[in-house]
Amino acid sequence: MSYIKRLVEDDLMEKMSASGAVLIKGPKSCGKTETATRYAKSVLKMDQDPQVSVIMATNPQLLLVGENPRLIDEWQEQPEIWNYVRHEVDQRKLKGMFILTGSANPPENIKLHSGAGRFTVIQMDTMTWQELGYSSGAVKLSDLLNGELNDFYEPAISLDFIIERICIGGWPTLINERLQNSLNMNRGYIDLLCEVDMSHVSGVKRNPYKVRSLLRSLARNVATLVDNKTLEKDVKLNENNELSRNTLADYLDALSKLMILYEQPAFNPHIRSSASLRKSPKRHLCDPSLAVAVLGLEKESLMKDIKYTGFLFESLAIHELNVYAKTNDATVYHYKDYYGHEIDAIVQKRNGDYAAFEIKLGVGFIEDAAENLKKFSSNIDTNKMESPKSLNIITGTGMSYRRPDGINVISLASLGK
């Protein structure tokens, strides 16, 4: 299988030229090592070389010896290496010396000095449809954020294809893999997460059954505003399991350290109405295929439960927007007020420019989504902030085109960076 260029590579090259060391972090198996290896001239695998722990205890500087850029893979296995890299960057004052990759943040009891001025950070995710070749990228997020999109039209894609892609996910190792094999691999990923990774990242033995119960609850509530109290009740009701408030919080923290759990923050615009805004984040798993896997679902079961598939599609679209947003120096938010009015995604650049998105799996909800976007836009207090640069509906089975009212309807198979 030939290597597929990743969208983070341009950012990686820029940051290597700007800092002495670059940290690439992301969930296990998202492709960090494969990409970093293409830019490294020497490689140290911290989780595979049996000599590493011995050298760390005797002469850790030896681990930094090698042609630069030197890749230190799974650096969190020996987190003290961070400080040695920092000192090496300080002493040599060169750019692009080290690339560190990691699929987990180190335990909190490990004291790491700030890498400010020495390290830059890249968050890597599973592959997008544009990277995988399933999206033409004809409708660029960069254009939507500038409000400068030309007229466009592209045909729709099938529900069958969308569901299959949700089941497989964006894992590089599953490119061209058969559906059933992919389902089995993703279930194996969940098994290792529950039985090994959660305990390893915490340094504390975690109950695999309780971890799985929490993951199943997160999967059932994917792309929703679900708080810890609701998760606690859901685990008890649907899993016949007990999770104390503190244990649940610890497990969620561990999932975040493993970068399995992604929280989509709330948008806080200046609005005309007196409606209070919800501040809670929406929760997603790092790839919606994990929700399918932990619930033991298959393509046929998703075909029969289109409502739940709609939530998975929303989570997939947020995943895509999140990756494309990073290439535009932007962040993906959600909006909801206490009157129940909500917008699925607000993508905002650092300079304040933003675009609003509703996400609908099927074409039957396009009109409602359009009215919702217009209502949101009209409620912005333009004396205090600009109106959105564009109003957009991301659809699954619908075609891509611009409506007469100026709202863009965008198939996920047309969306790109």
Side-chain angles (χ1 to χ4, degrees), residues 164-225:
E164 192 163 303
R165 290 313 316 169
I166 288 173
C167 290
I168 295 172
W171 309 101
T173 54
L174 299 184
I175 294 173
N176 300 324
E177 188 58 82
R178 292 191 302 112
L179 175 58
Q180 191 57 51
N181 287 348
S182 298
L183 288 169
N184 291 336
M185 291 287 285
N186 289 337
R187 289 166 186 168
Y189 190 106
I190 292 291
D191 291 342
L192 285 173
L193 175 62
C194 295
E195 296 165 15
V196 178
D197 295 341
M198 283 286 284
S199 297
H200 186 63
V201 74
S202 307
V204 177
K205 178 64 178 174
R206 301 298 189 188
N207 184 322
Y209 179 52
K210 290 188 175 183
V211 172
R212 190 178 299 273
S213 292
L214 176 57
L215 282 169
R216 286 170 63 87
S217 182
L218 287 166
R220 281 191 293 270
N221 293 282
V222 71
T224 65
L225 281 169

Side-chain angles (χ1 to χ4, degrees), residues 64-205:
L64 306 185
V65 176
E67 194 173 359
N68 297 121
R70 182 158 175 77
L71 168 60
I72 302 176
D73 188 39
E74 297 296 345
W75 74 275
Q76 79 284 345
E77 293 295 318
Q78 298 286 341
E80 294 87 354
I81 196 72
W82 174 280
N83 292 327
Y84 289 100
V85 170
R86 182 176 67 89
H87 287 307
E88 191 75 8
V89 170
D90 283 344
Q91 290 174 9
R92 294 171 61 182
K93 295 181 172 58
L94 298 174
K95 306 295 186 185
M97 293 171 56
F98 298 99
I99 305 172
L100 279 66
T101 59
S103 54
N105 295 316
E108 292 179 359
N109 63 338
I110 300 296
K111 291 186 177 181
L112 302 177
H113 292 279
S114 170
R118 298 95 162 179
F119 286 83
T120 49
V121 180
I122 294 173
Q123 171 71 46
M124 195 166 181
D125 302 274
T126 56
M127 299 182 79
T128 63
W129 277 25
Q130 186 175 21
E131 289 169 318
L132 289 165
Y134 302 128
S135 170
S136 68
V139 183
K140 295 180 174 59
L141 181 61
S142 56
D143 292 336
L144 298 175
L145 288 168
N146 292 329
E148 299 174 350
L149 190 66
N150 294 323
D151 286 337
F152 59 94
Y153 170 81
E154 286 198 330
I157 51 176
S158 70
L159 178 62
D160 186 84
F161 177 82
I162 294 167
I163 290 178
E164 192 163 303
R165 290 313 316 169
I166 288 173
C167 290
I168 295 172
W171 309 101
T173 54
L174 299 184
I175 294 173
N176 300 324
E177 188 58 82
R178 292 191 302 112
L179 175 58
Q180 191 57 51
N181 287 348
S182 298
L183 288 169
N184 291 336
M185 291 287 285
N186 289 337
R187 289 166 186 168
Y189 190 106
I190 292 291
D191 291 342
L192 285 173
L193 175 62
C194 295
E195 296 165 15
V196 178
D197 295 341
M198 283 286 284
S199 297
H200 186 63
V201 74
S202 307
V204 177
K205 178 64 178 174

Side-chain angles (χ1 to χ4, degrees), residues 149 200 225 231 244 248 250 297 367:
L149 190 66
H200 186 63
L225 281 169
L231 288 173
S244 70
L248 188 143
D250 286 345
L297 302 175
E367 288 301 326

Side-chain angles (χ1 to χ4, degrees), residues 19-74:
S19 61
V22 180
L23 169 63
I24 306 176
K25 61 180 186 176
K28 186 179 289 186
S29 301
C30 73
K32 302 179 298 299
T33 303
E34 184 71 21
T35 294
T37 300
R38 298 179 69 82
Y39 293 86
K41 293 184 178 177
S42 65
V43 178
L44 171 65
K45 292 186 177 291
M46 301 290 277
D47 62 336
Q48 294 183 19
D49 191 332
Q51 297 298 313
V52 166
S53 59
V54 177
I55 297 173
M56 278 298 299
T58 54
N59 190 0
Q61 293 283 6
L62 287 176
L63 297 176
L64 306 185
V65 176
E67 194 173 359
N68 297 121
R70 182 158 175 77
L71 168 60
I72 302 176
D73 188 39
E74 297 296 345

Side-chain angles (χ1 to χ4, degrees), residues 26 63 67 98 136 146 169 226 229 238 267 308 342 379 402:
L63 297 176
E67 194 173 359
F98 298 99
S136 68
N146 292 329
V226 56
K229 187 176 181 180
N238 291 289
F267 187 58
Y308 179 65
E342 59 183 306
N379 203 25
R402 175 173 291 148

